[in-house]
Amino acid sequence: MSVINDIDVQALKDTTAAVRANPQLGQATFSVNGSWQGGCRLTAQTGALTQGGERDETRNARYVMSSDEPTALLGTDSAVSPAEYLLQALAGCYTVTLTALASAQGIELKAYRLELEGDIDLQGFLGIDPTIRPGLQQVRVRLHVDAPNAPREQLEELISLVESRSPVRDTLVSPVDVLTTLA
């Protein structure tokens, strides 16, 4: 068994082969359930994971997340802001994608870190200027990849692959349906 960057390369190959043979196995649904805690505060918990149409009963852990806004944005600064969670989601997805792709290519990582920034114009959120979108205007990601045995050109190709295959990045740069219903 070959393990590179704490990734079981054979398991990665087996997963790829299984999804190639049965594309339904590649269909996954994540869930989160949240409750308002007053003001800008929310407490949420991870829910069930469904993969290939089957509920994953092996995932027993439930993780609790809290969000709030900084005081400058009407919150109490008691937790991570939703925008920071979005940046964390992108950073986490980049990490999964980069590590898996690097491992599949035999690139050993010595160290890896990211710096992310996202700009928002509150005029959109506050309804002051309808021409300004309420969401992030731009996200910047700076990667620091220490892979002594990989030339810079190979790392640049790896980053290009990360950009094209990261599910969270794709969600941010491509329109996605968000269906909201009142229960």
Side-chain angles (χ1 to χ4, degrees), residues 66-70 73 77-92 116-118 136:
S66 296
S67 64
D68 193 4
E69 290 289 349
L73 298 178
D77 203 17
S78 65
V80 178
S81 76
E84 291 163 333
Y85 268 121
L86 189 65
L87 294 175
Q88 162 58 26
L90 181 60
L116 291 89
E117 294 179 321
L136 292 173

Side-chain angles (χ1 to χ4, degrees), residues 135-147:
L136 292 173
Q137 308 296 308
Q138 184 180 55
V139 174
R140 292 174 299 286
V141 181
R142 184 178 180 112
L143 301 174
H144 302 270
V145 180
D146 185 359

Side-chain angles (χ1 to χ4, degrees), residues 2-182:
S2 177
V3 175
I4 301 174
N5 307 318
D6 294 333
I7 299 288
D8 180 335
V9 178
Q10 188 59 51
L12 177 60
K13 288 178 182 179
D14 292 347
T15 299
T16 302
V19 171
R20 184 173 285 124
N22 182 359
Q24 184 181 356
L25 292 176
Q27 304 299 313
T29 301
F30 294 87
S31 64
V32 171
N33 303 304
S35 296
W36 177 57
Q37 303 299 308
C40 298
R41 296 179 310 280
L42 176 86
T43 298
Q45 183 177 29
T46 56
L49 173 69
T50 303
Q51 183 179 9
E54 299 289 325
R55 188 179 176 100
D56 183 355
E57 299 297 339
T58 64
R59 188 176 189 204
N60 296 323
R62 295 288 187 249
Y63 299 99
V64 176
M65 301 169 280
S66 296
S67 64
D68 193 4
E69 290 289 349
T71 53
L73 298 178
L74 305 175
T76 60
D77 203 17
S78 65
V80 178
S81 76
E84 291 163 333
Y85 268 121
L86 189 65
L87 294 175
Q88 162 58 26
L90 181 60
C93 192
Y94 263 39
T95 299
V96 169
T97 307
L98 185 139
T99 304
L101 290 171
S103 299
Q105 295 178 19
I107 299 172
E108 291 187 37
L109 302 173
K110 182 178 176 185
Y112 165 68
R113 66 183 180 87
L114 311 87
E115 299 168 5
L116 291 89
E117 294 179 321
D119 302 323
I120 192 165
D121 186 336
L122 292 178
Q123 294 179 88
F125 169 73
L126 296 171
I128 295 168
D129 186 341
T131 65
I132 296 176
R133 19 182 325 231
L136 292 173
Q137 308 296 308
Q138 184 180 55
V139 174
R140 292 174 299 286
V141 181
R142 184 178 180 112
L143 301 174
H144 302 270
V145 180
D146 185 359
N149 297 324
R152 183 169 182 87
E153 298 78 30
Q154 187 178 19
L155 294 177
E156 288 172 351
E157 289 174 17
L158 176 64
I159 299 310
S160 181
L161 272 177
V162 168
E163 288 183 315
S164 69
R165 293 197 190 169
S166 163
V168 172
R169 182 183 187 279
D170 178 73
T171 301
L172 291 172
V173 300
S174 303
V176 61
D177 287 335
V178 177
L179 306 174
T180 306
T181 58
L182 181 61

